[in-house]
Amino acid sequence: AQSVTQPDIHITVSEGASLELRCNYSYGATPYLFWYVQSPGQGLQLLLKYFSGDTLVQGIKGFEAEFKRSQSSFNLRKPSVHWSDAAEYFCAVGARSNDYKLSFGAGTTVTVRA
Amino acid sequence: SQTIHQWPATLVQPVGSPLSLECTVEGTSNPNLYWYRQAAGRGLQLLFYSIGIDQISSEVPQNLSASRPQDRQFILSSKKLLLSDSGFYLCAWSVLLEQYFGPGTRLTVT
């Protein structure tokens, strides 16, 4: 079965500082990996996805993520955070063999301080 | 472009009352459809998913049910709500693997 772990429940970062959110997955075959962002009271928005190819993927809002097969990780990064990046971030893993269902991590809440 | 609608946006219902949440998708055909619940401070729990009309799979046993009367319409229902049904309900669609979410419905059972 596929599963996702986000080790950090809550991260606080200063505006303008860099941000890295960790994601570790467990899956036997090649995973399809995603990062979503959720602002309070809103639905989830897809930030970026990895299916195959270049292991460094670019997403919206200046985010990027790197797939590292050897570490079973798909960490999300942003070089310089803005106050509007305060939100909850979810990592997810999916597979065609699992009826296209996604397994989500528990989420990491990001607080941005001025 | 594709859009997904959910209504109502918020709902307050007494214990034991029925429930009907609706989700519709525009701009795509034959999408996979999903219902998730997000309890306060917790992650997403997949409740139901559907790969076609009248093809619905349940992920967890509960007093909720789902129906898909049309290709792009997905309905979440209950005959009698429980306090534990409170939460944020999200509908999502996909054609391939990436899922796109609706704005959600905040349900409070009192």
Side-chain angles (χ1 to χ4, degrees), chain A residues 32 34 36 38 41-46 49 51 88 90 94-96 98-102 104-107, chain B residues 32 34 36 38 41-44 46 49 51 59 88 90 94-104 106:
Chain A
Y32 299 93
F34 307 85
Y36 287 86
Q38 184 182 32
Q42 305 293 316
L44 276 71
Q45 182 182 22
L46 181 63
K49 61 190 177 188
F51 285 1
E88 190 160 20
F90 293 94
R96 288 195 178 94
N98 197 28
D99 290 338
Y100 297 92
K101 293 183 289 184
L102 297 184
F104 285 84
Chain B
N32 294 334
Y34 310 82
Y36 291 88
Q38 191 175 27
R42 301 176 71 175
L44 280 81
L46 179 63
Y49 73 100
I51 61 172
E59 289 296 293
F88 192 50
L90 290 159
S94 72
V95 173
L96 297 175
L97 269 169
E98 61 261 41
Q99 294 181 16
Y100 298 93
F101 287 79
R106 173 74 58 192

Side-chain angles (χ1 to χ4, degrees), chain A residues 2-41:
Chain A
Q2 58 199 36
S3 65
V4 178
T5 301
Q6 293 181 246
D8 304 305
I9 297 174
H10 191 191
I11 288 180
T12 299
V13 61
S14 298
E15 192 169 15
S18 63
L19 174 68
E20 182 168 14
L21 303 182
R22 296 183 291 165
C23 172
N24 295 99
Y25 67 90
S26 173
Y27 186 62
T30 300
Y32 299 93
L33 296 159
F34 307 85
W35 275 101
Y36 287 86
V37 61
Q38 184 182 32
S39 296

Side-chain angles (χ1 to χ4, degrees), chain A residues 75-95:
Chain A
N75 294 350
L76 182 72
R77 299 192 293 254
K78 185 168 184 176
S80 176
V81 299
H82 186 262
W83 65 265
S84 60
D85 293 322
E88 190 160 20
Y89 292 80
F90 293 94
C91 182
V93 62

Side-chain angles (χ1 to χ4, degrees), chain A residues 61-81:
Chain A
K61 303 181 184 230
F63 284 92
E64 66 178 25
E66 186 171 13
F67 171 58
K68 293 185 177 180
R69 185 186 300 276
S70 61
Q71 298 178 21
S72 297
S73 69
F74 188 56
N75 294 350
L76 182 72
R77 299 192 293 254
K78 185 168 184 176
S80 176
V81 299

